[in-house]
Amino acid sequence: MFELENCAAFIATNAAKILAEAFENILKEVGITRAQWSVLYFLGKTESNNQKELVAFLKTKPSSTTRLLDRMERDGWIMRQLNLNDRREMILLLTPKGQEIRNQCLPLGQEFSNQITKDISETDLQTFYRVFDQLIANVK
C-alpha cells in the first residue's frame, strides 16, 4: 500500500523546503533572497550569460525570471546589454554592486553547505548525488 511519508518525491520536497528556508534566513541578514542569490551566483560563474540559460539553470518560468531580473536591474545589481551577434538576445552582466553582494554571499553558501553535510561521508554524498540524478532522470 502506498504511504506518502515513504515516497521519495515527498521526502525530497520536504527536505528541499526545510533547506531552502534555512538558507533564505541566512541570506536575509545580507538583504538578499535565495532567488536573487542564485542569479548573482550564476552570472558570476558563467561566461555567456543570457536569460534562456539562466531560466534553464534556475528551473523557473521565463516570466518569473524576467520580473526578478527587472527588480535586480532596478536595484543596480545587474545590467542588460544587447547581444551584438544576436539582437533578439540580451546579455546579463553583474554590476560592481552585484559582484560585491555575490562575493559577500559566497562564503555564506559554503558555510551552509558545510553545515548541512557535516558528519556525512564523501562516499555517502556521492551516493546521494547519484540517487537524485537518477530520480530526476526517471521523471524525464
Side-chain angles (χ1 to χ4, degrees), residues 34-65:
R34 197 171 41 85
Q36 291 168 325
W37 156 242
S38 297
V39 170
L40 295 179
Y41 174 83
F42 177 82
L43 295 182
K45 184 175 172 110
T46 59
E47 291 288 321
S48 85
N49 299 318
N50 67 48
Q51 190 165 332
K52 188 175 185 179
E53 292 167 343
L54 179 62
V55 166
F57 175 76
L58 297 176
K59 310 286 188 276
T60 57
K61 295 178 183 174
S63 59
S64 299
T65 303

Side-chain angles (χ1 to χ4, degrees), residues 90-107:
M90 297 298 283
I91 302 296
L92 305 171
L93 302 166
L94 288 176
T95 63
K97 182 178 179 181
Q99 184 64 52
E100 180 182 327
I101 295 167
R102 183 184 189 277
N103 291 343
Q104 186 179 2
C105 292
L106 280 170

